[in-house]
Amino acid sequence: MVPWVVSARSEAALRAQASRLASFMGERPELPTVDVALSLATTRTTFERRAVVLASDRAGFVDGLEA
């Protein structure tokens, strides 16, 4: 399993960020999930609201982000 870390300043912004990421991944099936996880963990600003999605495949990540 690989963690995807998402953060935002508010709960609404966190949900919106997760939705954008789910759409982004749906449009780019060639992106490796491990590379996305690394980018999310190392290039993002950490805000007050955080969520982590743990999954082992693309469908699991999209399902978690949509939840």
Side-chain angles (χ1 to χ4, degrees), residues 1-6 18-19 21-23 25-26 31-38 40 52-67:
M1 294 199 135
V2 178
W4 279 13
V5 180
V6 182
S19 178
L21 183 55
S23 294
M25 290 307 292
L31 290 178
T33 57
V34 172
D35 291 350
V36 174
L38 180 62
L40 289 171
V52 176
V53 176
L54 291 173
S56 56
D57 61 18
R58 179 178 302 275
F61 284 115
V62 171
D63 288 346
L65 290 167
E66 290 175 345

Side-chain angles (χ1 to χ4, degrees), residues 1-56:
M1 294 199 135
V2 178
W4 279 13
V5 180
V6 182
S7 66
R9 292 184 182 188
S10 69
E11 186 174 337
L14 183 63
R15 291 182 184 281
Q17 181 67 11
S19 178
R20 284 190 298 273
L21 183 55
S23 294
F24 177 84
M25 290 307 292
E27 296 166 0
R28 292 165 181 84
E30 74 281 0
L31 290 178
T33 57
V34 172
D35 291 350
V36 174
L38 180 62
S39 293
L40 289 171
T42 60
T43 63
R44 296 259 172 189
T45 302
T46 302
F47 291 113
E48 295 82 22
R49 304 288 183 202
R50 296 177 199 97
V52 176
V53 176
L54 291 173
S56 56

